[in-house]
Amino acid sequence: MEQKTNRLHFIDAIRAWAILMMLQGHFVDGLLDPAFRDPQNGAYSLWLYFRGITAPVFFTVSGFIFTYLLIRVPQTGFENPRIKKGLKRGLQLLLIGYLLRLNLFGLLQGKLYDAFFLVDVLHCIGISIMAIIAVYLLTAKLRKWALPLALSGISLVLFLFEPLYASWTYSALPEGIANYFTRSNGSVFTVIPWVGYTAFGGFLAVLFRRYLSNKNLYSSAIWLALISGFSLVYFSSPLFYSLYELSGITLFRDIVANNYLFIRLGDVLIVFALFMLIRKYLIQPTLLRIGQNTLSIYVIHFVILYGSFTGLGLYRFFHHSLSPTVAIGGALAFMVVCSYAALKYDKHEVMIKGHIRSTIKSGKPLALRAYYSLSEILIILQDRLLRLFNITKG
């Protein structure tokens, strides 16, 4: 089936696994009572480790899928139709990322809270897609090895020099821009180093595409991924420490002190190998559909858990308050609800978008009048409250 359709089902399956892991990870991490967060507990420690694998896998798979589609078409350079689609997708992800952090109550008062400017998964993947397009265009007229070399080089540079740029404050930049590079203001993910994983996914996609017709592709890829993955997990730190002792370059010592990027890259390769190994069993339609609708699932989970637009999410009412039993049961139910809602949306997407367009078109004048009226009411109410408590505006 893979060779007939040219679709890599194991990639859809990995993406489905990653998004489900993300759902339960966000739910448990946000709602589990801190009293039960014991790193010495074997079950919690195992969960914590696997939760750390989720984001690297998700970023890598995103880079793989986009690059694979980008290089699959016969056109090259600016003639490639995937360039326009990719730019549109990247900008769409940035827009959705910001919209999910809007608070309508604040917006009605003309306010944008600091949380609106924080950077998350969607922002980073949007930037990553545009970065891959830039690399593709710059290497389009060069030799075939230029693209994979550039993508793998980006990953290597970002991972190697993380101890240096991680300490930069970016204070000269506006906070909204600085949030793309530093977590000090509250951003969950940043462009550096996370673009490194999407670039590495692009590197893997180029190799896969070039050797897709080789009958030994999967057997070779599985062994290479396993060997490389376990080597990164167990031997990357000793290697960097040996390089430090030989050269005296403190950068290598600093990498060893917090070697999460290379170790997680090893975990990603092991996950890829395992899914390739069982790829023949990963053709269950529902699983594949979940993997193909990760954006919808992400948006739905953000609204339910974090209360996008209204602030009325599960996080507000049950933040760090659940027992392990309730958290586990709730996480399972959360995965089912988000996945089911996303698949239902996918099934009726055309009809839903049509209704939304007609509603917006007919209700735009009314919405504008309501916005201005409500804004005036809120301003008057605020002024009266200030007067009531004898407070003057500063």
Side-chain angles (χ1 to χ4, degrees):
M1 183 177 290
E2 288 166 358
Q3 290 181 348
K4 288 180 181 180
T5 64
N6 237 7
R7 188 171 189 101
L8 305 178
H9 293 300
F10 81 93
I11 290 294
D12 288 327
I14 293 177
R15 192 158 59 159
W17 175 81
I19 195 70
L20 292 175
M21 285 285 291
M22 183 208 69
L23 292 178
Q24 63 83 21
H26 285 182
F27 187 94
V28 174
D29 182 66
L31 307 186
L32 181 66
D33 193 312
F36 301 102
R37 299 168 188 262
D38 180 13
Q40 303 304 317
N41 181 287
Y44 179 77
S45 179
L46 183 65
W47 172 84
L48 197 61
Y49 188 87
F50 273 92
R51 181 170 185 260
I53 297 174
T54 304
V57 170
F58 197 81
F59 276 95
T60 304
V61 171
S62 298
F64 186 108
I65 292 172
F66 177 74
T67 307
Y68 186 83
L69 295 174
L70 180 67
I71 63 177
R72 188 176 63 174
V73 299
Q75 299 94 327
T76 58
F78 285 100
E79 296 179 359
N80 189 331
R82 300 297 309 185
I83 296 294
K84 184 178 179 180
K85 291 180 180 179
L87 290 174
K88 182 179 178 181
R89 184 66 162 181
L91 293 173
Q92 179 191 44
L93 291 176
L94 287 173
L95 176 62
I96 294 174
Y98 282 116
L99 286 176
L100 288 176
R101 291 188 170 276
L102 268 182
N103 186 301
L104 293 180
F105 297 119
L107 191 62
L108 289 172
Q109 300 177 61
K111 296 179 181 178
L112 278 178
Y113 297 114
D114 290 341
F116 173 78
F117 297 100
L118 298 181
V119 173
D120 214 323
V121 172
L122 296 185
H123 303 81
C124 287
I125 293 180
I127 295 294
S128 297
I129 287 174
M130 291 187 277
I132 290 174
I133 290 174
V135 174
Y136 168 79
L137 291 174
L138 289 172
T139 59
K141 295 183 178 180
L142 302 178
R143 295 187 177 183
K144 290 184 177 181
W145 49 261
L147 177 59
L149 182 64
L151 291 172
S152 59
I154 289 172
S155 302
L156 185 62
V157 169
L158 289 178
F159 290 178
L160 277 177
F161 291 97
E162 193 268 348
L164 295 180
Y165 62 72
S167 61
W168 296 349
T169 60
Y170 305 95
S171 57
L173 297 174
E175 187 171 302
I177 303 298
N179 287 340
Y180 279 89
F181 304 99
T182 177
R183 297 176 61 185
S184 60
N185 299 322
S187 290
V188 180
F189 294 95
T190 51
V191 171
I192 51 175
W194 290 97
V195 167
Y197 285 109
T198 51
F200 187 77
F203 164 73
L204 294 179
V206 175
L207 296 184
F208 240 90
R209 181 63 189 170
R210 290 188 181 171
Y211 296 101
L212 191 60
S213 60
N214 191 312
K215 64 179 182 179
N216 297 318
L217 170 63
Y218 282 102
S219 58
S220 300
I222 290 169
W223 281 111
L224 283 172
L226 284 174
I227 293 170
S228 302
F230 280 109
S231 296
L232 286 169
V233 171
Y234 293 105
F235 302 116
S236 60
S237 292
L239 173 62
F240 284 121
Y241 194 77
S242 297
L243 291 174
Y244 162 67
E245 290 184 322
L246 289 171
S247 65
I249 299 175
T250 56
L251 175 64
F252 295 129
R253 182 195 60 193
D254 295 338
I255 292 173
V256 175
N258 189 25
N259 185 22
Y260 71 97
L261 291 171
F262 287 100
I263 290 176
R264 291 308 189 193
L265 185 60
D267 290 328
V268 169
L269 288 170
I270 294 171
V271 169
F272 267 67
L274 293 176
F275 274 83
M276 283 189 286
L277 189 63
I278 60 172
R279 66 190 181 281
K280 294 180 180 179
Y281 307 101
L282 300 175
I283 54 176
Q284 208 281 331
T286 301
L287 178 68
L288 298 181
R289 285 184 63 208
I290 290 174
Q292 294 159 14
N293 288 277
T294 52
L295 178 57
S296 300
I297 294 173
Y298 184 89
V299 171
I300 291 168
H301 113 280
F302 217 95
V303 172
I304 296 175
L305 186 60
Y306 300 114
S308 294
F309 312 119
T310 63
L312 303 176
L314 297 175
Y315 194 83
R316 176 172 181 174
F317 300 105
F318 303 104
H319 181 228
H320 290 176
S321 64
L322 302 185
S323 67
T325 302
V326 176
I328 293 171
L332 292 173
F334 185 60
M335 289 190 288
V336 172
V337 170
C338 292
S339 300
Y340 179 79
L343 295 184
K344 279 294 182 182
Y345 170 78
D346 179 58
K347 185 177 180 179
H348 303 288
E349 182 177 6
V350 175
M351 181 185 70
I352 293 172
K353 286 185 175 179
H355 284 310
I356 292 174
R357 288 194 202 97
S358 61
T359 302
I360 291 175
K361 187 176 181 180
S362 62
K364 188 176 180 180
L366 180 62
L368 286 173
R369 287 196 297 271
Y371 172 78
Y372 290 123
S373 298
L374 187 57
S375 297
E376 291 175 3
I377 292 171
L378 288 171
I379 292 170
I380 294 170
L381 181 62
Q382 176 183 268
D383 184 64
R384 290 184 177 179
L385 285 173
L386 291 173
R387 291 175 182 275
L388 178 64
F389 291 101
N390 294 319
I391 301 173
T392 58
K393 294 181 181 180

